[in-house]
Amino acid sequence: MYKIFLVEDDVKIAAILINYLKRYGYEVSEAKGLDRVFVEFNEMKPDLVLMDINLPFFDGFHWCRQMRTISKVPILFISARTDEMNQVMAIEHGGDDYITKPFHLEVVLAKIKSALRRAYGEYAGTSSLHQQVKEMDGLTLYTEKAMIEYQQNQAILTQNEFRLLNCLIRQYDTIVSREDLLEALWNDDSFVDDNTLTVNVTRVRRKLEDIGVKHAIQTSRGKGYRLKVMQGEDK
């Protein structure tokens, strides 16, 4: 589940965005103290930031510059300022996109999905924030190498296998819906359907078994899949 940090001083707009994004499976946290946005950002370590520009104490450009000193997380500005100069300033201060108010929620959602794909999905470069090592119950995913390791046994993943396992690890030990997994597999160049998902789940299971991890991907009928390394399983 991706974590979104919302910095917005309009209570009504904030409530609308939070309710809408939660319906699509995002974890949304609203800045509680608009004089300590950077502190809350550092504590939360979100995957994406939605930032208003007109804020009390300091404007959104100030907080964006602060965040950029420690993070490359996607930052999307949402503002009633529609002039080109503010849009240019948003990019120059480190923002990734700019959404003008009033906005359509579908547009906000599409831009969030696009930014997340660029940062952490199939369009991500090797310098991405999440291009690191992920370890769960002894199973390690090396994201730059698209490689998994368990008890010194290793296997290389294809692009689709990596996308699938990365999504499952990100929501470790929870059921990930088929829709979310299909979204993780989606790209502009190939058609993705339920059969594609089933085939890739089977392949990932086989790769896990090859390195000694059995029964790790569990099927939840009608819901999706859950990844859990079962300790004490017969290897």
Side-chain angles (χ1 to χ4, degrees):
M1 179 183 296
Y2 285 112
K3 296 186 294 184
I4 295 176
F5 184 43
L6 175 61
V7 186
E8 170 63 67
D9 65 340
D10 188 308
V11 177
K12 291 182 178 179
I13 292 178
I16 290 170
L17 284 168
I18 290 171
N19 291 333
Y20 184 76
L21 294 175
K22 283 185 175 180
R23 283 168 47 197
Y24 287 88
Y26 295 103
E27 178 185 337
V28 187
S29 293
E30 184 181 2
K32 296 179 177 62
L34 293 175
D35 59 339
R36 58 192 306 273
V37 169
F38 183 64
V39 174
E40 292 185 26
F41 168 81
N42 201 26
E43 291 172 350
M44 180 186 178
K45 294 180 172 55
D47 298 299
L48 181 141
V49 177
L50 284 177
M51 176 85 71
D52 191 10
I53 295 177
N54 292 325
L55 297 168
F57 304 104
F58 300 97
D59 65 18
F61 297 144
H62 168 84
W63 295 120
C64 184
R65 291 196 303 272
Q66 293 288 305
M67 293 172 185
R68 282 289 173 255
T69 64
I70 63 169
S71 175
K72 296 180 180 179
V73 62
I75 299 175
L76 277 60
F77 282 100
I78 297 181
S79 176
R81 300 182 184 180
T82 59
D83 60 286
E84 292 182 358
M85 181 55 66
N86 273 284
Q87 297 184 41
V88 170
M89 288 178 62
I91 302 302
E92 289 183 344
H93 284 290
D96 294 274
D97 209 335
Y98 194 98
I99 305 168
T100 58
K101 299 176 183 176
F103 51 76
H104 292 286
L105 290 169
E106 294 83 358
V107 172
V108 177
L109 180 64
K111 286 181 175 288
I112 287 173
K113 286 184 176 181
S114 178
L116 290 171
R117 276 202 300 271
R118 289 195 302 269
Y120 314 122
E122 64 268 29
Y123 305 136
T126 57
S127 62
S128 167
L129 178 67
H130 281 207
Q131 295 296 314
Q132 301 170 356
V133 176
K134 299 180 181 180
E135 190 275 334
M136 293 292 178
D137 288 341
L139 175 65
T140 303
L141 173 66
Y142 297 92
T143 58
E144 287 190 16
K145 302 175 183 178
M147 182 180 75
I148 49 174
E149 181 178 61
Y150 185 75
Q151 296 182 350
Q152 299 184 331
N153 298 313
Q154 299 174 342
I156 301 296
L157 303 172
T158 66
Q159 190 177 59
N160 276 347
E161 290 166 356
F162 169 76
R163 292 172 184 164
L164 180 63
L165 190 56
N166 190 39
C167 188
L168 289 168
I169 282 183
R170 199 166 54 237
Q171 301 183 58
Y172 187 74
D173 199 18
T174 61
I175 296 173
V176 184
S177 71
R178 297 181 69 87
E179 290 75 16
D180 283 351
L181 292 171
L182 285 168
E183 173 71 20
L185 291 176
W186 179 88
N187 63 62
D188 292 329
D189 301 319
S190 62
F191 178 69
V192 177
D193 58 11
D194 270 352
N195 183 60
T196 304
L197 176 58
T198 301
V199 168
N200 280 279
V201 168
T202 299
R203 289 174 177 169
V204 172
R205 279 178 171 148
R206 188 177 301 123
K207 290 283 179 75
L208 290 170
E209 290 176 358
D210 287 345
I211 62 173
V213 184
K214 298 183 179 179
H215 315 302
I217 299 180
Q218 303 160 16
T219 303
S220 178
R221 190 178 299 276
K223 296 181 180 179
Y225 297 92
R226 179 175 77 111
L227 176 68
K228 173 68 175 177
V229 178
M230 307 301 290
Q231 302 295 333
E233 284 282 342
D234 179 17
K235 305 296 189 290

